[in-house]
């Protein structure tokens, strides 16, 4: 998604800078909307005790589900399309730049996912109360609104 957004955005920026501005505004508005939805959430996603135990799920199914979720996520596309172009120098070769930036995003993404995985296990007891889930949604919603405003302003 990162590489495709950079390559596509490079072409869009060169030909249609107003289209990119419109996409950036729509992406910022969408992120702010998602943030407001998270703020208004009532914490219904609390983990239920004794929820039937663990399920046997194949790794390939989890990988494909994660891939499809990431590719179909408009927030990710909006974020990458708005974030990456300022880091591209159109006077230089595009391939090395896209390779380095994509590698950096992959390392950061993998690191964050590891933190989420290890942190999620330790936070499971907190997520059993809907008030705690509501607080986390409000924090995450505030961050989403902030990113949405940043996309529009920046």
């Amino acid at each position: 998604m990162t590489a495709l957004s950079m390559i596509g955005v490079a072409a869009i920026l060169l030909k249609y800078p107003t289209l990119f501005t419109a996409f950036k505004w729509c992406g910022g508005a969408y992120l702010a909307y998602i943030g407001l939805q998270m703020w208004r959430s009532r914490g219904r996603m609390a983990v239920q005790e004794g929820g039937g135990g663990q399920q046997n799920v194949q790794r390939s199914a989890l990988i494909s589900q994660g891939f499809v979720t990431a590719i179909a996520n408009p927030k990710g596309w909006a974020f990458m399309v708005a974030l990456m172009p300022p880091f591209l120098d159109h006077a230089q070769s595009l391939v090395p730049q896209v390779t380095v930036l994509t590698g950096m995003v992959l390392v950061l993404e993998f690191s964050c996912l590891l933190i989420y995985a290890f942190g999620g296990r330790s936070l499971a007891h907190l997520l059993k109360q809907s008030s705690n889930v509501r607080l986390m949604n409000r924090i995450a919603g505030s961050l989403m609104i902030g990113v949405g405003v940043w996309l529009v302003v920046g």
Side-chain angles (χ1 to χ4, degrees):
M1 180 172 41
T2 303
L4 290 175
S5 67
M6 283 186 283
I7 293 168
V9 168
I12 290 171
L13 279 179
L14 290 174
K15 290 190 177 192
Y16 309 105
T18 54
L19 182 63
F20 174 70
T21 302
F23 188 75
K24 186 169 85 166
W25 275 83
C26 290
Y30 180 73
L31 288 174
Y33 170 76
I34 295 296
L36 287 172
Q37 294 297 336
M38 292 176 81
W39 248 94
R40 296 175 59 196
S41 173
R42 302 234 187 272
R44 285 180 245 146
M45 297 295 288
V47 176
Q48 302 297 319
E49 296 219 38
Q54 295 192 6
Q55 300 175 349
N56 281 336
V57 181
Q58 293 182 359
R59 288 183 184 186
S60 60
L62 291 174
I63 290 170
S64 63
Q65 180 184 6
F67 179 77
V68 169
T69 301
I71 293 298
N73 183 356
K75 295 179 301 234
W77 282 103
F79 185 73
M80 288 299 167
V81 165
L83 178 72
M84 289 299 164
F87 294 103
L88 295 175
D89 181 4
H90 299 292
Q92 303 293 324
S93 176
L94 194 60
V95 174
Q97 294 179 80
V98 170
T99 303
V100 169
L101 286 172
T102 302
M104 290 171 61
V105 168
L106 287 174
V107 168
L108 291 170
E109 185 86 18
F110 185 72
S111 301
C112 288
L113 289 175
L114 284 176
I115 291 169
Y116 294 156
F118 291 123
R121 182 170 282 259
S122 61
L123 290 176
H125 68 282
L126 292 174
L127 298 178
K128 291 178 182 168
Q129 296 177 351
S130 64
S131 62
N132 291 339
V133 174
R134 194 173 321 126
L135 175 64
M136 288 180 59
N137 281 345
R138 289 197 172 162
I139 292 169
S142 298
L143 292 171
M144 293 287 273
I145 293 168
V147 170
V149 169
W150 176 74
L151 282 177
V152 171
V153 173

